[in-house]
Amino acid sequence: MDITPDNLFSSLANETRLRSLMLLLRHDELCVCELTHALGVAQPHISRHLALLRESGLVSDRREGLWVHYRIHPDLPEWVRRVLQHVFEGNAERSPFRNDAKGLARMPNRPGAPRCA
Amino acid sequence: MDITPDNLFSSLANETRLRSLMLLLRHDELCVCELTHALGVAQPHISRHLALLRESGLVSDRREGLWVHYRIHPDLPEWVRRVLQHVFEGNAERSPFRNDAKGLARMPNRPGAPRCA
DNA sequence: AACATATATACGAAATGTCGTATATTCTGC
DNA sequence: GCAGAATATACGACATTTCGTATATATGTT
């Protein structure tokens, strides 16, 4: 699971993927329906981008019944983890990331207890 | 000069631009001919990508006679600076970055004294 | 002014990335 | 097995990016 800078940055160079990652940095585990609701985009849209993040090794997924939960991949190299963390710290309060977090918080009927980091 | 994550990552999502930035992190100021030699690519190729980096606010340029010297933009937001620094630390010894540094060191007739950071 | 060097831009072709929509898959409950 | 919910993939159209090559601009020298 070796992540190259090219790999990393072409993954981050898309708003949907970046917004998903930023939410996962806050919430450590989220299912597809939560991301779909928070970002306000179509389900196949999110799903395709999550697949790309999975293939690039940035996230891992876990199936639990009907739901698939995604999280930041636990075995990320230290430098990648730090990059993500600094992007988060520098932009968490900006649009659209701030709103995504709010949108998620307002989601009714989230599967499982809300798991915050 | 406000840098958004989208802006940053689409800039970093190209090998030529990333290799240039990594060299600039080591050498603080380099002219186009040095970058051209170090990366072993055509001059218009480098020049076009440096223009993109300039337009995105990641680098600044300074003309000195025939030469144009580029450097990491001195006013980068802290989070951007940190992202770049961690990418550098995590990958400086990997290909192709390691080789770029070597290639530059072996360049004859560099304009001005070699300026290291 | 003519020329040489360093750098920048223009242009179309090729490659890559993205999107919406339709359809498949996987699982649960009956 | 069937129906429904959550998620994944397929497909073609569209947009964006990248590339090589040709050419333009800027500066210094004679």
Side-chain angles (χ1 to χ4, degrees):
Chain A
M1 193 66 66
D2 187 43
I3 294 184
T4 68
D6 257 17
N7 197 347
L8 173 62
F9 295 126
S10 54
S11 293
L12 300 187
N14 171 275
E15 201 186 327
T16 298
R17 292 194 292 270
L18 188 58
R19 289 167 74 190
S20 301
L21 285 172
M22 297 281 275
L23 273 181
L24 289 172
L25 284 169
R26 290 184 196 258
H27 291 280
D28 119 299
E29 200 180 47
L30 293 172
C31 72
V32 178
C33 63
E34 289 172 313
L35 288 163
T36 301
H37 182 279
L39 302 199
V41 301
Q43 175 267 320
H45 183 88
I46 279 277
S47 226
R48 184 158 19 83
H49 286 291
L50 288 172
L52 291 174
L53 288 174
R54 189 189 335 121
E55 285 157 21
S56 76
L58 286 175
V59 303
S60 67
D61 61 340
R62 171 179 77 86
R63 171 145 237 153
E64 185 185 8
L66 230 35
W67 295 274
V68 176
H69 301 272
Y70 284 86
R71 63 170 62 220
I72 302 286
H73 198 292
D75 301 334
L76 283 189
E78 197 56 29
W79 70 272
V80 176
R81 212 165 249 294
R82 288 189 177 149
V83 164
L84 293 180
Q85 193 57 37
H86 284 122
V87 177
F88 179 77
E89 287 167 11
N91 298 276
E93 296 312 312
R94 297 198 154 200
S95 167
F97 310 109
R98 171 79 179 171
N99 272 349
D100 293 342
K102 281 191 188 171
L104 177 58
R106 281 199 230 90
M107 175 179 179
N109 303 335
R110 287 171 63 183
R115 309 156 204 274
C116 294
Chain B
M1 196 65 69
D2 187 43
I3 294 184
T4 68
D6 256 19
N7 198 347
L8 172 62
F9 294 127
S10 54
S11 293
L12 300 186
N14 170 275
E15 201 187 327
T16 298
R17 292 194 292 270
L18 189 59
R19 289 167 74 190
S20 302
L21 285 173
M22 297 282 273
L23 272 181
L24 289 172
L25 284 170
R26 290 184 196 258
H27 291 279
D28 117 302
E29 201 180 48
L30 293 171
C31 72
V32 179
C33 63
E34 289 173 312
L35 287 163
T36 302
H37 182 280
L39 303 199
V41 301
Q43 176 268 320
H45 183 88
I46 279 277
S47 225
R48 184 156 20 81
H49 286 290
L50 287 173
L52 292 173
L53 287 175
R54 185 185 343 117
E55 286 157 20
S56 76
L58 287 175
V59 303
S60 66
D61 62 339
R62 171 180 76 86
R63 170 146 238 152
E64 186 185 8
L66 278 182
W67 295 273
V68 176
H69 301 271
Y70 284 86
R71 63 170 61 221
I72 301 285
H73 198 292
D75 302 332
L76 284 188
E78 197 56 30
W79 70 272
V80 176
R81 211 163 249 296
R82 288 189 177 149
V83 164
L84 293 180
Q85 192 57 36
H86 284 121
V87 177
F88 179 77
E89 286 167 11
N91 297 276
E93 297 311 313
R94 297 199 156 199
S95 169
F97 310 108
R98 170 78 179 172
N99 272 348
D100 294 342
K102 282 190 187 172
L104 177 58
R106 281 199 229 91
M107 176 179 179
N109 305 335
R110 287 170 65 183
R115 309 154 205 275
C116 293

